[in-house]
Amino acid sequence: MKVLRQAADDVAWEVQSLPTDKDLTWRRSLCPYCGVGCGLLVGVAENRIKRVRGDASHPANYGLLCTKGALLNQILDAPGRLLYPQARASLDAPFRKTSWEESFVTIRRTFQRVMEKEGPDAIAFYISGQLMTEDYYVINKFAKGFLGTNNMDSNSRLCMASAVAGYTTSLGEDCQPASYSDIELADCFFLIGTNTAACHPVVFQRIKNRKIKFPNRIKVIVADPRRTRTAEIADVYLPIRPGSDVALLNGILHILIEENLIDSQLIQNHTNGWEKMVAVAKRYPLEKAAEICGVAPNLIRKAALLYGQASAALSFWSMGLNQSIHGVAKNNSIINLALATGNIGRAGAGPFSLTGQPNAMGGRETGGLAHLLPGHRLITNQEHRQTMERLWKIPKGRISPKPGLTAIELFRQLEIGKVKIIWIIATNPAASLPSLPRFKTALEKADLVICQDAFHPTETTQYAHLLLPAAQWAERQGTLTNSERRVSLLEKLVNPPGEALPDWEILCRFAKSWGFEKHFSYQSTEEIYEEYKRSTKGTRMDISGISYERLRKGPIQWPCPNSDSLPASRLFANRVFPTADGRARFHAWEYTPPAEPPDHEYPFILTTGRIRDQWHTMTRTGKIETLMRSEPSPFIEIHPEDAKTLALKEGETVEIISRRGKLQAPCRITPDIRQGCCFVPFHWGSLWSKAVVNEATIDSFDPVSKQPELKFCAVKLRRSSCD
Ligand SMILES: Nc1nc2c(c(=O)[nH]1)N[C@H]1C(S)=C(S)[C@@H](COP(=O)(O)OP(=O)(O)OC[C@H]3O[C@@H](n4cnc5c(=O)[nH]c(N)nc54)[C@H](O)[C@@H]3O)O[C@H]1N2
Ligand SMILES: Nc1nc2c(c(=O)[nH]1)N[C@H]1C(S)=C(S)[C@@H](COP(=O)(O)OP(=O)(O)OC[C@H]3O[C@@H](n4cnc5c(=O)[nH]c(N)nc54)[C@H](O)[C@@H]3O)O[C@H]1N2
Ligand code: SF4
Ligand SMILES: [Mo]
C-alpha cells in the first residue's frame, strides 16, 4: 500500500491505492459527522471496524480526513451503548429491560389514549439531521400520512432552517447552487459566521491549499466576532459585533454599487427587487455600517473591493448567520451580494451554505421539517399534499393542511401540556436546546418520552420513559446527502450490538404493529429509497437517475433525472431560477437589534459554538481519549480588558448568569474574542460538567425560519465563589 501523508494542520491527507492488508477486508463508507460528507475506506475484521482512512476517490474529500473521521473506528464500541429496549413507569423509577413488542404495546396504548382525548397533534416527533434519508422518509410518512400529525420537526430547525428559508425566498427553492469543486476554481472566499477550520475541516483544507498555492491571487475574507483558526488564512478579518451581519452585508453592497462592481446584466435580466435593494443599501454608508458592526471602515471597504473585484467569489456560511432571530435576513443578505455581483451559476462562484449534520440536506429533501413534505413540497400546498397522498396510497385529504410545530414551539407546547407525547430520535435536546431550564421542566411534564438513541445515558435519556436502542453508522445501510447535494450510499459493514435496530426498521415495525402492514412492509432500505425517489420525479431535486446500484460505483449529485444523465454539479448556469417568473429575488433587510441586547444588568454578549475535536453533545467523541486530549474541559473565552475589569486570572472559574439560568466555566483570557463578548462551547452537557451553556441561552427565534438565536444573549459574569 502506498501512503503519502502530508502533515497538515487539521487533516491527514492521504493519496493512496486500495489497501491490501491480509487480515482486513477494506470497504467504502462515509463519515457520519459533518456535512462535508467525507468518503472513507474502512478495514473490517471479525464484525469490527479496525481502521479508517480517507477515500481518495471520493470527490468531497479526495482522501482527506479530520481527526474525528480518522478515529471513527472507536465509536461503535464506545462505552454506554444502548443494547436493548428499556422502560420505566415514572422518571424516578429505575429502567428495566423490556422487549421490542412490549415497547410497541406501551407506545400504542399511550398514543391511542392521548389521541382519543386530544387528537393526533398531542403527539410529536423530534428527529435529527443525523438520520439517513430512508429513516427520515418513513418517519415522515408515518407521522404525516398515517398518524395524522405534522408535528415532526428536526434538530435541523436549530441548524439549517434559516438557510432553507433564505434559499427559498431568494432563489425560489431550497437549492444550494455550487459544488465543492468550485473551491479549486474560486479566487475569493468570503467566510462569514463559519468556523470552517474547526467545523468543516476538509473544506477548510481545500480552501487553504488553494490559498497556499496562489497566495497573492487568492483572497480570503473572514467575518466572525472571534478570531478563530479560520481567520489565520484571511487577507481581511472583520471582527464584527455579534448579530450585525445585515449591516455589514448592506454596507458592502453599498460600496459595490458606488464602485460599479455589480453585474447589471444579471440584475436586469434575471432578478427582481433591485430598486428597493439599492434604496436600502444606500442607507448603509461605510461609516454607519462600520459603527453598527464595530469594525474599522477601511476593513469593510477592503473586503468589499476584494469580493467585488474577484473574477469568481464563493461565500460560505453556517451558524453565525443561521442561528439568529434575523437568520433569514442574514441569509438573504449574503445571497443578495452573490446576485448583485453575478457570483452564481458559474465556475468558482456561489452563495454556499455549509450544512452542519451529515444528512441535513437529505432531511430537507425528504420533507423532514414540520412545514415540508418529500421532494421540497409544502404542507400548505394542496396539490403537494395530494401528490403525496397518491404516492402513499392514503385517502385524499388525509394529510393535515396545518404546518406542524417547529422545534421550539413543540417544546413550548409540551411545557403547557398541549403536547403529551414526544418521540425523540437521534438528537439530545436536554443538552442542545436553548433555555434548558424551561425545556427540561417541559420534558418532565410529558405523559410519555420515547428516546431512540445509540447510547445511554445521555442528558435526554434521563427524561425518558422508554429507551429504544438504535444501530449507528456502519451498523446499518442508507443514503446521505452532503452540503453540495451529493448523495452517497453507506453500506452496513458490521452487525449492531445487542438488540439494536436501524431507525427505519424501528419505525416500520411499530407502524406495522399499529396496523399499517401494507404501507410499511419494506424488506430493505433500497425499497424505501426507490419509493422516496418516485416522489422526486419531475421536481428540481429529481433523483430518478440515482439508484443504489449506481451509488455503489460512486456518489452522485442531484438533480439527476435519468440513469444515463450526468448530474449537474452547478445550478442556475442558465440564470433561470425556480420562481414563477424565472427571476431571483433581492430581499432587502434593514439591520435590527438582537432579541436580548446587553444592558446595565446583563452587560456581556454570550455567544456559543464548537471546537474541532468534539461532536455536539459528546455521546461519541467524548469517549475517545485522543479527541479529548486537545480540549479536555470546557472554558469561557473572554477578552483581556474584560478580565481586568472583573479581576479575573487565567483559569479561574467564572459564573455566567443570564435571565434564564447559569453555568460555571474556567476562563480563558484571549484577545481573539471581541471585548464585551464571551464564548462557551456547547458540547459539555450536564453529564459532563457544570459548564452547560444552554442553561443560559435564549429561545427567541426567527419569525420566518423559526430558528432560535443560539449565538446571542445577554449575561453577567462574576468570579465564582466556589473557586
Ligand atoms: N468539530 C465539529 N464540527 C462540526 C460540528 C461539531 O459539533 N463539531 N457540528 C456540525 C454542525 S451540526 C454544524 S451546524 C456546523 C456548525 O459550524 P459553524 O457554524 O462553523 O460552527 P459554530 O462554532 O457553531 O459557529 C461558527 C462561528 O460563528 C461565529 N458567530 C457567532 N455569532 C456570530 C454573528 O452574529 N455573526 C457572525 N458572522 N459570526 C458569528 C462564532 O464565533 C463561531 O466561530 O458544524 C458541523 N461540524
Ligand atoms: N448553544 C448552542 N446550542 C446548539 C448549537 C449551538 O451552536 N450552540 N447548535 C445547534 C445545532 S446546529 C445542532 S445540529 C444541534 C445538535 O444537537 P444534538 O442533535 O442534540 O446533538 P448530538 O450529540 O449530535 O445528538 C445526536 C444523538 O443521536 C445519537 N445517535 C448517534 N447515531 C445515531 C443513530 O444512528 N440513530 C439514533 N437513533 N441515534 C443516534 C447520539 O448518541 C446522540 O445522543 O445542537 C444545537 N444546539
Ligand atoms: S470533515 Fe466532517 S465529514 Fe470529513 S472526516 Fe471530518 S467530520 Fe467527517
Ligand atoms: Mo447543526
Side-chain angles (χ1 to χ4, degrees), residues 395-412:
K396 205 166 149 187
R398 180 79 185 94
I399 302 174
S400 160
K402 194 176 91 192
L405 297 166
T406 62
I408 300 298
E409 293 170 326
L410 192 162
F411 281 88
R412 288 184 185 171

mmCIF file of all heavy atoms in Angstrom, residues 395-412:
data_model
loop_
_atom_site.group_PDB
_atom_site.id
_atom_site.type_symbol
_atom_site.label_atom_id
_atom_site.label_comp_id
_atom_site.label_asym_id
_atom_site.label_seq_id
_atom_site.Cartn_x
_atom_site.Cartn_y
_atom_site.Cartn_z
ATOM 1 N N PRO A 395 -56.137 8.042 1.725
ATOM 2 C CA PRO A 395 -57.272 8.820 1.206
ATOM 3 C C PRO A 395 -56.932 10.300 1.010
ATOM 4 O O PRO A 395 -56.130 10.863 1.763
ATOM 5 C CB PRO A 395 -58.331 8.670 2.302
ATOM 6 C CG PRO A 395 -57.882 7.557 3.159
ATOM 7 C CD PRO A 395 -56.422 7.414 3.009
ATOM 8 N N LYS A 396 -57.571 10.878 0.000
ATOM 9 C CA LYS A 396 -57.420 12.306 -0.266
ATOM 10 C C LYS A 396 -57.827 13.099 0.979
ATOM 11 O O LYS A 396 -58.834 12.780 1.609
ATOM 12 C CB LYS A 396 -58.343 12.674 -1.434
ATOM 13 C CG LYS A 396 -57.928 13.877 -2.196
ATOM 14 C CD LYS A 396 -58.702 13.941 -3.501
ATOM 15 C CE LYS A 396 -58.899 15.378 -3.901
ATOM 16 N NZ LYS A 396 -59.774 15.523 -5.049
ATOM 17 N N GLY A 397 -57.028 14.086 1.324
ATOM 18 C CA GLY A 397 -57.370 14.919 2.482
ATOM 19 C C GLY A 397 -56.804 14.383 3.793
ATOM 20 O O GLY A 397 -57.010 14.966 4.851
ATOM 21 N N ARG A 398 -56.081 13.260 3.725
ATOM 22 C CA ARG A 398 -55.560 12.654 4.956
ATOM 23 C C ARG A 398 -54.463 13.521 5.588
ATOM 24 O O ARG A 398 -54.382 13.637 6.802
ATOM 25 C CB ARG A 398 -54.987 11.266 4.626
ATOM 26 C CG ARG A 398 -54.424 10.529 5.819
ATOM 27 C CD ARG A 398 -55.554 9.903 6.627
ATOM 28 N NE ARG A 398 -55.094 9.264 7.854
ATOM 29 C CZ ARG A 398 -55.057 9.855 9.052
ATOM 30 N NH1 ARG A 398 -55.448 11.095 9.189
ATOM 31 N NH2 ARG A 398 -54.648 9.206 10.108
ATOM 32 N N ILE A 399 -53.614 14.119 4.762
ATOM 33 C CA ILE A 399 -52.524 14.934 5.321
ATOM 34 C C ILE A 399 -53.105 16.278 5.775
ATOM 35 O O ILE A 399 -53.761 16.970 4.999
ATOM 36 C CB ILE A 399 -51.391 15.163 4.301
ATOM 37 C CG1 ILE A 399 -50.821 13.814 3.827
ATOM 38 C CG2 ILE A 399 -50.284 16.043 4.880
ATOM 39 C CD1 ILE A 399 -49.800 13.915 2.717
ATOM 40 N N SER A 400 -52.849 16.611 7.010
ATOM 41 C CA SER A 400 -53.384 17.862 7.541
ATOM 42 C C SER A 400 -52.745 19.058 6.835
ATOM 43 O O SER A 400 -51.535 19.079 6.607
ATOM 44 C CB SER A 400 -53.105 17.923 9.046
ATOM 45 O OG SER A 400 -53.186 19.255 9.488
ATOM 46 N N PRO A 401 -53.557 20.079 6.486
ATOM 47 C CA PRO A 401 -53.002 21.247 5.799
ATOM 48 C C PRO A 401 -52.276 22.208 6.733
ATOM 49 O O PRO A 401 -51.708 23.205 6.293
ATOM 50 C CB PRO A 401 -54.245 21.917 5.197
ATOM 51 C CG PRO A 401 -55.373 21.482 6.078
ATOM 52 C CD PRO A 401 -55.017 20.140 6.628
ATOM 53 N N LYS A 402 -52.313 21.896 8.032
ATOM 54 C CA LYS A 402 -51.735 22.817 9.019
ATOM 55 C C LYS A 402 -50.274 22.445 9.282
ATOM 56 O O LYS A 402 -50.004 21.318 9.698
ATOM 57 C CB LYS A 402 -52.556 22.681 10.322
ATOM 58 C CG LYS A 402 -52.320 23.788 11.316
ATOM 59 C CD LYS A 402 -53.241 23.625 12.524
ATOM 60 C CE LYS A 402 -52.545 22.802 13.561
ATOM 61 N NZ LYS A 402 -53.220 22.271 14.666
ATOM 62 N N PRO A 403 -49.339 23.370 9.038
ATOM 63 C CA PRO A 403 -47.943 23.044 9.330
ATOM 64 C C PRO A 403 -47.797 22.629 10.793
ATOM 65 O O PRO A 403 -48.481 23.137 11.673
ATOM 66 C CB PRO A 403 -47.186 24.348 9.071
ATOM 67 C CG PRO A 403 -48.083 25.152 8.191
ATOM 68 C CD PRO A 403 -49.490 24.741 8.535
ATOM 69 N N GLY A 404 -46.905 21.694 11.046
ATOM 70 C CA GLY A 404 -46.714 21.201 12.404
ATOM 71 C C GLY A 404 -45.915 22.173 13.253
ATOM 72 O O GLY A 404 -45.460 23.228 12.788
ATOM 73 N N LEU A 405 -45.743 21.796 14.510
ATOM 74 C CA LEU A 405 -44.983 22.634 15.440
ATOM 75 C C LEU A 405 -43.495 22.513 15.134
ATOM 76 O O LEU A 405 -42.983 21.413 14.953
ATOM 77 C CB LEU A 405 -45.240 22.178 16.877
ATOM 78 C CG LEU A 405 -46.676 22.310 17.377
ATOM 79 C CD1 LEU A 405 -46.857 21.516 18.679
ATOM 80 C CD2 LEU A 405 -47.016 23.788 17.603
ATOM 81 N N THR A 406 -42.825 23.648 15.126
ATOM 82 C CA THR A 406 -41.374 23.620 14.915
ATOM 83 C C THR A 406 -40.691 23.391 16.270
ATOM 84 O O THR A 406 -41.326 23.526 17.322
ATOM 85 C CB THR A 406 -40.905 24.950 14.305
ATOM 86 O OG1 THR A 406 -41.206 25.980 15.239
ATOM 87 C CG2 THR A 406 -41.612 25.230 12.990
ATOM 88 N N ALA A 407 -39.394 23.065 16.227
ATOM 89 C CA ALA A 407 -38.708 22.568 17.428
ATOM 90 C C ALA A 407 -39.034 23.352 18.703
ATOM 91 O O ALA A 407 -39.489 22.784 19.699
ATOM 92 C CB ALA A 407 -37.202 22.537 17.188
ATOM 93 N N ILE A 408 -38.814 24.652 18.695
ATOM 94 C CA ILE A 408 -39.012 25.424 19.927
ATOM 95 C C ILE A 408 -40.497 25.486 20.282
ATOM 96 O O ILE A 408 -40.883 25.312 21.443
ATOM 97 C CB ILE A 408 -38.411 26.847 19.790
ATOM 98 C CG1 ILE A 408 -36.893 26.764 19.512
ATOM 99 C CG2 ILE A 408 -38.696 27.699 21.027
ATOM 100 C CD1 ILE A 408 -36.070 26.117 20.608
ATOM 101 N N GLU A 409 -41.335 25.677 19.257
ATOM 102 C CA GLU A 409 -42.792 25.703 19.504
ATOM 103 C C GLU A 409 -43.250 24.401 20.137
ATOM 104 O O GLU A 409 -44.067 24.384 21.064
ATOM 105 C CB GLU A 409 -43.547 25.896 18.185
ATOM 106 C CG GLU A 409 -43.328 27.241 17.538
ATOM 107 C CD GLU A 409 -43.889 27.295 16.119
ATOM 108 O OE1 GLU A 409 -43.859 26.269 15.409
ATOM 109 O OE2 GLU A 409 -44.350 28.368 15.712
ATOM 110 N N LEU A 410 -42.666 23.320 19.627
ATOM 111 C CA LEU A 410 -43.044 21.986 20.101
ATOM 112 C C LEU A 410 -42.742 21.824 21.600
ATOM 113 O O LEU A 410 -43.580 21.348 22.372
ATOM 114 C CB LEU A 410 -42.227 21.018 19.260
ATOM 115 C CG LEU A 410 -42.455 19.539 19.188
ATOM 116 C CD1 LEU A 410 -41.744 19.042 17.946
ATOM 117 C CD2 LEU A 410 -41.937 18.850 20.379
ATOM 118 N N PHE A 411 -41.547 22.267 21.999
ATOM 119 C CA PHE A 411 -41.198 22.154 23.418
ATOM 120 C C PHE A 411 -42.008 23.136 24.269
ATOM 121 O O PHE A 411 -42.303 22.855 25.427
ATOM 122 C CB PHE A 411 -39.682 22.291 23.617
ATOM 123 C CG PHE A 411 -38.960 21.007 23.289
ATOM 124 C CD1 PHE A 411 -38.535 20.742 21.991
ATOM 125 C CD2 PHE A 411 -38.752 20.036 24.255
ATOM 126 C CE1 PHE A 411 -37.899 19.545 21.676
ATOM 127 C CE2 PHE A 411 -38.129 18.833 23.945
ATOM 128 C CZ PHE A 411 -37.696 18.588 22.647
ATOM 129 N N ARG A 412 -42.364 24.274 23.682
ATOM 130 C CA ARG A 412 -43.222 25.201 24.438
ATOM 131 C C ARG A 412 -44.620 24.613 24.634
ATOM 132 O O ARG A 412 -45.256 24.828 25.664
ATOM 133 C CB ARG A 412 -43.332 26.546 23.704
ATOM 134 C CG ARG A 412 -42.049 27.360 23.772
ATOM 135 C CD ARG A 412 -42.263 28.708 23.114
ATOM 136 N NE ARG A 412 -41.025 29.480 23.047
ATOM 137 C CZ ARG A 412 -40.894 30.609 22.374
ATOM 138 N NH1 ARG A 412 -41.920 31.103 21.705
ATOM 139 N NH2 ARG A 412 -39.750 31.251 22.353
#
